[in-house]
Amino acid sequence: MSQQTVPTGSGRLILLFKGAYWVALSIIAAMALASYVLLQQMMAAQQRDEALLALANAQRALSQRVVFLVAVTDRAPFVEKPGLIAELNDGTAEFEANYDLLLERMAADTPSPDRNDDPTLENILFSKPFYLDYFSTSLAANGKRFAAAVRSELGIGNSTVTGYLASRDKARLDATVAKATLAGYTALADRIRATSDARLKNMLSTHRMLFLSTLAVIVLVALFIFRPMSNVIMRRTHELVDARNSMAFIAVHDGLTGLHNRTFLTDHFDTLIKGAHRRRERLAVVQLDLDRFKQINDTLGHAAGDYVLVMTAQRMRESCRASDLCVRLGGDEFVMILNGAGTSEDIHALAKRILDRINEPISFQGATVHPGASAGIAVYPVDADNAADLLVHADLALYSAKKLGGGNFSFFSDELRQELEHRKQLERDLKIAIAEETFSVYFQPQVSLANGAITGVEALVRWKHPERGMISPGEFIPVAEKSGLMAEIGRIIARKAVHEAAAWYNADIQFGRLAINVSGSELREHDFDSFLFRTLEEAGLPPQKLSLEIVESVILDDEKTGIAAKLRQIRAAGVHLELDDFGTGYASLSHVNPNEIDRLKIDRRFVQNINSNGDNTKIVRAITELARGLGISIIAEGAETEAELNSLMSIGCDQVQGYSIAFPMPDDQARAWLMARAPKKPALTVLQGSRA
């Protein structure tokens, strides 16, 4: 018998929100439909009134035409009267037909009780003082009688059928009838117009009330149904309004700083180069990058970061000429295109002035921010003759300036050109190595100082180049990260390391846990978790025997990438998580959570010379006590001497990893090292004697 799930409080709240949402949506839809129907009725009534008004105006004109034709015919010469009589007959017939159509469209009825109400149209037709129905009929009849009398005089037609037998004087058109008919149709037109205006005003008032009621319902829905989201909705609404108003501007400008954007630079850079070539001038490309922008965002918040970007852009504009181009590429990357740059000395002086201005402190909400900027400079046509190469060379010069410590600038040089070629060749070789999976895994053991037990091994990537031999990870890993190849390399190393650890596990070789370094680019891959679980299953290694080492910056990047949710899912499956290089980043203590992190790894810069450096001793002791208080394991890397090991032991940091324990080893040597230090199994002794 299935048990029905009892909805929790949050579930009931969600159901309540959903119900209220659909009720509110139905009310709003009904109001919108009513508004639409009302608008349609308003338009139809307006069209009907306009048609009636046109008919009334036409009747007024026709009545005057009949009167005019009667007068003209009476005075016209004999020869012109037949034509005028024909026009009079046509006008009278049209007048009668229009009047019948008017009565039909007005749905006027003689015995209608509305004839005595002043505001009604029937009052003008059938009641005093206008009696329009009577005078319209009289006018048409008099017109016909007059025409018949004249025709009889002229001897036109059969006198027994169409002739007029009474005297000519009795067929005169009474001026009173003509004036009354004109006055009646004028009043009818005014009454139709007034009725239409009153109806339109009433319907507009109703439509306004309906519209305001709809707005009121929407406001109530926003306040009481989506109250938790009201701040977000307001912020997004402002963003949408701002985006709509500045859409055309943002097409070629950066929305935050107001500088030109990458699109504008791409479209106009070649034009600037052609202009410099035509004028035989130099053109300098200055690429800038803020040295401590990430630290500003992480410590003071993104509002401070945005303010620093805006101030940087403002200072860039103030430091250059109107003919120069300032561009924000994205993030904290900027480019300045200096036209007519002059000599190298001129460019040097201008770059120094720009950096000095940008590097000035910035005040934000009582805090003083020192952004610090570095710049790389490439010059046309000395360093390159096209836009793409100029940007690449300026970026490489920027990287060189950052390596010097930041806050300075560097020109592109032949040494950097050689370095660029070397990096390009290294990138090509990395792609070949990835395709052939020629990367190898070295393992460095981790041990306990208390009893010498092996607590784990860290998998490290190594690459033996077919021509250059072993290449240091510090040389090829930055290139791999910059070129987007690190994720593929990481998967190769993870797969090989997991399969080797699975072989140890199946051979009952004690190795603690396998630790694998995982970069942010790997974790940002949408299928990383499925790849990891699939690799563990194929190799036959339990998830509990694996640890993933991540750095603090990976956690800080989670705001937009969702990495933390993926890590929680991986940890829930049994895989351990370790925070690598702890103390060197900008993660707050909120990230040191025993529910998310299993072990902290103290960076080697705090471990080296810990026995003689009091500051390092204090830092390691503080980290150790923090981890112990939170129930998190801790390990120190980079221990090289016996004195350092003794200092770590006295502080309470039991687990260590470093050259004093073991160097990184290939898989066969690591297996032999682990087997040599495996605990000895007690020998089984068979007792001799008689059976009971």
Side-chain angles (χ1 to χ4, degrees), residues 263-495:
T263 301
F264 184 88
L265 179 64
T266 303
D267 295 340
H268 292 78
F269 203 167
D270 289 334
T271 304
L272 294 175
I273 292 177
K274 291 177 182 178
H277 176 73
R278 186 172 58 254
R279 296 187 299 271
R280 299 181 180 277
E281 294 178 345
R282 282 188 172 191
L283 184 147
V285 179
V286 183
Q287 184 156 344
L288 299 102
D289 184 274
L290 300 181
D291 299 327
R292 290 178 288 276
F293 183 68
K294 184 174 180 57
Q295 181 181 359
I296 295 171
N297 268 338
D298 295 339
T299 56
L300 298 179
H302 289 280
D306 290 345
Y307 184 76
V308 169
L309 293 176
V310 171
M311 291 300 299
T312 300
Q314 179 179 335
R315 291 174 176 181
M316 287 172 59
R317 283 191 292 259
E318 294 171 352
S319 303
C320 65
R321 301 160 298 180
S323 60
D324 298 331
L325 178 64
C326 297
V327 178
R328 182 190 177 198
L329 297 179
D332 60 333
E333 299 179 19
F334 298 87
V335 166
M336 299 178 68
I337 310 297
L338 308 179
N339 291 297
T343 65
S344 299
E345 291 76 12
D346 296 333
I347 299 173
H348 185 281
L350 181 58
K352 186 177 186 305
R353 186 174 74 247
I354 293 172
L355 276 189
D356 288 344
R357 181 73 177 98
I358 294 175
N359 287 333
E360 291 178 3
I362 297 174
S363 296
F364 176 77
Q365 295 182 354
T368 301
V369 181
H370 299 273
S374 300
I377 305 172
V379 181
Y380 168 87
V382 178
D383 299 322
D385 59 357
N386 61 84
D389 288 345
L390 282 171
L391 288 174
V392 171
H393 293 172
D395 182 61
L396 196 62
L398 170 63
Y399 181 72
S400 174
K402 280 185 169 292
K403 287 197 299 184
L404 297 176
N408 209 331
F409 61 92
S410 176
F411 282 85
F412 184 75
S413 61
D414 290 336
E415 291 78 7
L416 292 178
R417 191 185 304 275
Q418 294 175 3
E419 183 179 339
L420 175 61
E421 293 300 325
H422 172 72
R423 192 182 72 181
K424 289 181 178 178
Q425 183 60 46
L426 192 62
E427 184 177 334
R428 290 192 289 267
D429 294 343
L430 281 172
K431 292 179 179 178
I432 296 174
I434 290 173
E436 298 176 354
E437 296 192 2
T438 56
F439 297 97
S440 57
V441 184
Y442 276 45
F443 299 92
Q444 187 174 26
Q446 302 166 346
V447 301
S448 169
L449 294 176
N451 52 24
I454 301 171
T455 59
V457 288
E458 181 180 3
L460 303 170
V461 59
R462 294 294 184 267
W463 180 31
K464 186 175 183 180
H465 193 275
E467 297 177 357
R468 298 172 53 194
M470 295 296 292
I471 299 180
S472 168
E475 180 179 353
F476 71 82
I477 286 182
V479 176
E481 290 178 341
K482 195 172 185 63
S483 57
L485 301 175
M486 197 61 223
E488 298 178 74
I489 297 175
R491 292 202 176 190
I492 294 173
I493 298 303
R495 189 162 46 246

Side-chain angles (χ1 to χ4, degrees), residues 55-196:
L55 247 149
N57 290 329
Q59 284 296 89
R60 183 170 57 180
L62 282 172
S63 68
Q64 296 307 296
R65 178 173 175 77
V66 170
V67 174
F68 172 75
L69 287 173
V70 168
V72 171
T73 303
D74 194 28
R75 297 190 301 270
F78 181 82
V79 294
E80 296 179 3
K81 286 186 177 183
L84 293 172
I85 288 300
E87 291 185 25
L88 178 60
N89 284 332
D90 292 341
T92 304
E94 185 179 357
F95 181 79
E96 285 186 307
N98 282 354
Y99 184 67
D100 293 337
L101 181 59
L102 184 65
L103 292 177
E104 179 184 348
R105 290 186 177 177
M106 291 172 55
D109 188 12
T110 304
S112 172
D114 295 337
R115 62 185 298 171
N116 298 320
D117 295 339
D118 286 342
T120 62
L121 301 179
E122 285 83 353
N123 177 260
I124 295 178
L125 289 174
F126 307 118
S127 298
K128 61 180 182 181
F130 299 104
Y131 292 104
L132 182 59
D133 179 66
Y134 168 77
F135 287 114
S136 294
T137 306
S138 298
L139 180 65
N142 288 344
K144 287 182 178 180
R145 283 196 297 270
F146 179 80
V150 174
R151 285 161 64 119
S152 296
E153 290 180 1
L154 297 176
I156 301 174
N158 189 347
S159 61
T160 60
V161 179
T162 60
Y164 183 70
L165 302 180
S167 65
R168 171 71 178 274
D169 294 336
K170 294 183 180 289
R172 296 289 180 182
L173 184 62
D174 191 356
T176 303
V177 174
K179 292 180 180 179
T181 305
L182 177 62
Y185 279 109
T186 301
L188 181 64
D190 293 340
R191 184 65 55 83
I192 292 173
R193 190 178 295 108
T195 303
S196 176

